[in-house]
Amino acid sequence: MTTDGALARLIRSSADRTVAAKAEVCDLCAAPVADEHAHLYDTGKEEVRCVCGPCSVLFAGAGAGDGHYRLVPRRRVRLPRVDTAALGVPVGLVFFVPRTDGTVTAQGPSPAGAMRWEVDAAAWQELAGTCPQLATVEPEVEALLVNTVHGLDHHWIVPIDDCYRMVAVVRREWRGLSGGGQVWPAVERFFEDLTERP
């Protein structure tokens, strides 16, 4: 065996391990998952976890997993403008998550992750009275996602994993104190790519 052959095999082996390390796996059983895969919301840690098809079936029913894991729905609904001013959140890029205990949180992306506020639950209920679709938001796993930055007017009911993807876009693209020139075009692209799903 030549040195060149051994070196080539070592490089190939290293590259194969790198690709394998980057492949996503189910957070429950470690099986490989496809690029488009289901997610579970861990209510205890408030985290989204990747899950394979067979494992996702285990959590499809109400009460499955004793409420610790909740299957994240895929539904996306574009809404007409929703006046969220009464909710008292001072930013234009934010998502509102109703909780199973009746509380509502608002989270806005920042370079350090999501900032969080408690929202007056009565104000949320009043807003849902003016926009009945908000009453259909599934607690913990769906959110009202709003973007009114730079004159935009996006209002969506989305799965919670979409909200975390949006936070990741902001963290990845933010530069300096004001965000730089890349973050807002990236956020606009994120919203342009949202499509309605039943």
Side-chain angles (χ1 to χ4, degrees), residues 122-146:
W124 173 263
Q125 292 301 326
E126 196 171 310
L127 186 61
T130 65
C131 180
Q133 289 168 307
L134 292 182
T136 70
V137 174
E138 196 173 329
E140 310 284 352
V141 292
E142 288 187 317
L144 168 62
L145 177 60
V146 176

Side-chain angles (χ1 to χ4, degrees), residues 90-108:
V91 295
L93 181 58
V94 64
F95 56 97
F96 298 91
V97 183
R99 304 292 176 179
T100 52
D101 64 4
T103 61
V104 179
T105 59
Q107 297 181 55

Side-chain angles (χ1 to χ4, degrees), residues 25-34 37-40 49-59 71:
V25 297
C26 176
D27 286 329
L28 296 182
C29 73
V33 295
H37 57 270
H39 290 109
L40 291 179
R49 300 185 178 276
C50 298
V51 66
C52 65
C55 285
S56 72
V57 172
L58 299 173
F59 298 93
L71 187 62

